[in-house]
Amino acid sequence: MHLQIAVLPGDGVGPEVCREAVRLLRALNSFYNCEFEIKERPIGGVAIQATGSPLPESTLQACLNSDAVLLGAVGAPEFDHLSREQRPEAGLLRLRSALGGFANLRPAVSFQGIADCSPLRRAKVEGADVLIVRELLGGLYFAEPRGFSANGESAYNTMSYSVEEIERIARVAFDQARMRRKKLTSVDKANVLETSQLWRRTVTEVAQAYPDVKLEHMYVDACAMHLISNPTRFDVILTENLFGDILSDEAAVITGSLGMLASATIGGGTNLYEPVHGSAPDIAGKGIANPLGAIASVAMLLRYSAGMDHEAADLETAIQNVVNAGHRTVDIAGERQGHVATTREMGELVENAFVAMLDRRFAYHAV
Ligand code: IPM
Ligand code: MN
């Protein structure tokens, strides 16, 4: 097997966490009769500096010609003054729409070893395992019309969804729920918004094909509250683009750090994998960023783009084991004294744990 992976490190801590994520792909290269061929390309602020565009044509082409895309982060304060289409974030949004993936999967899991890092009480977060399925190509992020009025004194965006857009994301969420605890919470604002009324009606219709999955509807404001007051009540959360953006950052509180969260965007031509955290300019270049979200995104890549389910699960176990063994980057160190791991040390620890698991798998296969 030969897989072309486009790696777009981007801005801020993006390059640091990507370096550690790529380490895991390279580790696999030495084990299997497979090859992950990695092509690095610029996106976001670094691409603006190099080429004037946040998504240069050569980056876009490399992504379209790859089997998967791994992205670090985009955004930097020095570009805040630019217009929307010129900002680093525009490069990411253009890439998402070009790749066509409409289903953004964002798992948030509480690990035993760092349950105390959450500002929520351990008893509240313990056992929490939520998957947010965020619609990624519609709603306020993309729908037209949008803009400023002629005199600049008012501005507008459009929240619109078609039945087709809702059906396809709902099916992904139901399929995911089927593979998990078979509970789906569809989140909307149907007491106020027409798009949410259509959302609710459509999801209810799609549910007919999934009688084994228990569906509930919840308003987004209530969900924001339940997500932190009772996170273990959730299995899969299905929601539209902006609600999903907000709720997934909130869900990070369950895990203890935004640095822990991975994501996969599926459903289009080429899948896109990115940690949920941003470019974190305040800690960029210091070698202290948490690479586990990026590494867990590689696990999702193995699952959804390489068909390597066992290795994906091994990598997720390796991450858990390293954390449960007491290793910490600064964001999950909490009150603890003692050594705090750098980005690279954390990457190496996970690599060693993962390679040990692959060794065992190979020894087993060899007999
Ligand atoms: C995310 C980010 C992006 C989004 C930004 C960087 C455009 O916040 O992936 O959650 O809003 O989708
Ligand atoms: Mn976000």
Side-chain angles (χ1 to χ4, degrees):
M1 186 173 46
H2 183 102
L3 285 177
Q4 298 249 11
I5 314 287
V7 175
L8 318 181
D11 302 319
V13 298
E16 298 161 56
V17 298
C18 271
R19 203 171 299 134
E20 302 314 314
V22 165
R23 173 192 292 286
L24 280 306
L25 290 174
R26 295 203 200 283
L28 277 166
N29 276 351
S30 53
F31 272 90
Y32 286 89
N33 194 12
C34 79
E35 199 190 334
F36 291 99
E37 189 188 324
I38 287 146
K39 275 195 210 149
E40 241 183 63
R41 292 287 184 278
I43 192 170
V46 291
I48 297 175
Q49 262 149 1
T51 71
S53 160
L55 181 66
E57 190 55 31
S58 68
T59 298
L60 177 60
Q61 286 310 323
C63 293
L64 291 171
N65 293 328
S66 294
D67 299 297
V69 180
L70 176 67
L71 184 138
V74 295
E78 60 260 45
F79 304 104
D80 280 353
H81 65 281
L82 295 177
S83 73
R84 180 179 59 86
E85 310 92 87
Q86 294 174 317
R87 291 173 58 107
E89 289 82 352
L92 172 58
L93 294 173
R94 241 175 265 159
L95 176 66
R96 285 178 180 169
S97 109
L99 295 179
F102 57 86
N104 182 223
L105 312 181
R106 299 188 158 188
V109 182
S110 166
F111 294 163
Q112 275 292 333
I114 51 169
D116 290 320
C117 291
S118 173
L120 307 172
R121 283 193 297 282
R122 172 180 277 273
K124 285 275 176 206
V125 294
E126 235 164 15
D129 179 354
V130 184
L131 174 67
I132 297 184
V133 178
R134 169 187 176 194
E135 200 291 325
L136 204 64
L137 291 186
L140 287 163
Y141 274 65
F142 288 99
E144 301 281 344
R146 63 186 298 159
F148 289 92
S149 65
N151 68 3
E153 290 302 300
S154 69
Y156 49 95
N157 293 92
T158 303
M159 187 187 255
S160 104
Y161 272 104
S162 67
V163 166
E164 199 190 328
E165 285 174 296
I166 302 167
E167 277 175 353
R168 66 181 187 175
I169 187 73
R171 275 189 230 109
V172 170
F174 277 107
D175 287 337
Q176 290 291 326
R178 235 178 207 172
M179 293 184 274
R180 297 168 47 101
R181 302 191 304 279
K182 300 189 170 53
K183 187 174 170 194
L184 180 64
T185 307
S186 175
V187 174
D188 61 39
K189 188 70 185 172
N191 49 347
V192 177
L193 304 174
E194 283 82 357
T195 44
S196 284
Q197 287 160 7
L198 185 71
W199 184 278
R200 200 172 267 224
R201 197 179 79 207
T202 307
V203 172
T204 305
E205 272 159 27
V206 173
Q208 310 235 305
Y210 298 85
D212 51 324
V213 176
K214 191 174 169 343
L215 170 67
E216 67 173 348
H217 300 279
M218 191 180 277
Y219 296 137
V220 63
D221 48 355
C223 181
M225 188 266 293
H226 288 301
L227 197 52
I228 49 169
S229 57
N230 191 9
T232 55
R233 78 179 293 298
F234 294 102
D235 179 15
V236 178
I237 291 177
L238 162 65
T239 194
E240 68 88 45
N241 205 343
L242 181 65
F243 296 164
D245 179 46
I246 298 168
L247 291 177
S248 56
D249 269 32
E250 193 194 0
V253 171
I254 301 168
T255 70
S257 168
L258 193 51
M260 298 297 296
L261 261 61
S263 88
T265 303
I266 62 171
T270 307
N271 294 343
L272 169 65
Y273 302 89
E274 33 175 339
V276 174
H277 65 74
S279 56
D282 51 324
I283 60 162
K286 295 187 177 164
I288 58 171
N290 185 346
L292 295 180
I295 294 173
S297 301
V298 167
M300 297 186 89
L301 184 156
L302 297 179
R303 181 171 295 124
Y304 295 110
S305 287
M308 299 169 83
D309 284 355
H310 291 300
E311 292 74 10
D314 281 354
L315 181 50
E316 282 161 354
T317 305
I319 294 170
Q320 284 214 29
N321 289 350
V322 164
V323 167
N324 289 343
H327 302 290
R328 302 283 181 270
T329 40
V330 66
D331 56 314
I332 48 175
E335 317 273 272
R336 260 160 171 266
Q337 306 293 312
H339 180 69
V340 170
T342 62
T343 309
R344 165 165 308 170
E345 283 168 346
M346 204 56 156
E348 287 169 349
L349 284 161
V350 177
E351 181 186 2
N352 293 341
F354 184 49
V355 166
M357 295 174 90
L358 293 178
D359 272 335
R360 278 198 293 279
R361 190 177 287 290
F362 261 73
Y364 173 78
H365 280 308
V367 271

